[in-house]
Amino acid sequence: MIGMAILQPLVALMAWTMVMWLWMYVTRIPAMSRAKIDPDQMTRDPDASLDRSLPPEVQWKAHNYNHLHEAPTVFYAVGLVLAIIGQGDGTNALLAWIYVGLRVIHSLVQATANKVMVRFVLFALSSLVLIALILHAAMAVFEFV
């Protein structure tokens, strides 16, 4: 079907998000157990925080999992728009794969070394790719092409 190639990187990023979900819990649950954290008590204490209670390298995975629910939601929307209007092949599919690659690298950096400037550059580059996809969708939808 025309315009459907862009769905592959969308599904790939969804799958990567679940990899980060698994990594988060495989890391976080044992750390919570070692720290003897009572999850129910955490919900009753407004000052309680896993960021204060767990080592930073454990929380980095959780923070990245949350980040994968922020800007990527726009990526999913623009990818679906491009697929629906038949513009999800060629350059747009390539841009979508580049976006996914940058987000995966961003995840790996954040979840391991967590170098903020490296993360920032990766985030900025992925945002520029996302802007290009949005512009392509806008040009097609508003008939500027």
Side-chain angles (χ1 to χ4, degrees):
M1 293 191 283
I2 297 172
M4 295 301 186
I6 201 165
L7 296 179
Q8 293 174 339
L10 268 68
V11 171
L13 190 56
M14 291 175 203
W16 177 253
T17 300
M18 294 300 98
V19 167
M20 288 305 302
W21 172 84
L22 181 62
W23 193 2
M24 173 182 65
Y25 281 114
V26 164
T27 306
R28 188 185 250 185
I29 290 171
M32 289 176 69
S33 181
R34 281 190 301 276
K36 297 184 180 9
I37 293 173
D38 178 357
D40 291 328
Q41 180 60 34
M42 295 284 294
T43 63
R44 291 187 291 274
D45 182 354
D47 295 324
S49 165
L50 288 178
D51 282 331
R52 290 186 190 128
S53 303
L54 296 177
E57 59 275 5
V58 170
Q59 286 299 93
W60 294 343
K61 284 88 173 154
H63 295 163
N64 185 261
Y65 177 72
N66 290 336
H67 293 164
L68 288 169
H69 292 86
E70 294 169 353
T73 60
V74 177
F75 170 71
Y76 298 132
V78 74
L80 290 173
V81 167
L82 288 165
I84 289 167
I85 65 174
Q87 299 288 317
D89 292 327
T91 301
N92 288 328
L94 176 61
L95 287 170
W97 278 115
I98 292 169
Y99 182 83
V100 170
L102 289 167
R103 291 307 306 218
V104 168
I105 295 167
H106 177 274
S107 290
L108 293 171
V109 168
Q110 184 171 18
T112 58
N114 204 15
K115 296 295 184 188
V116 174
M117 286 310 297
V118 175
R119 283 179 38 214
F120 172 75
V121 169
L122 291 165
F123 178 76
L125 290 172
S126 70
S127 294
L128 291 173
V129 173
L130 185 55
I131 289 167
L133 287 167
I134 293 166
L135 286 173
H136 291 173
M139 290 174 7
V141 168
F142 294 105
E143 300 178 355
F144 290 127
V145 178

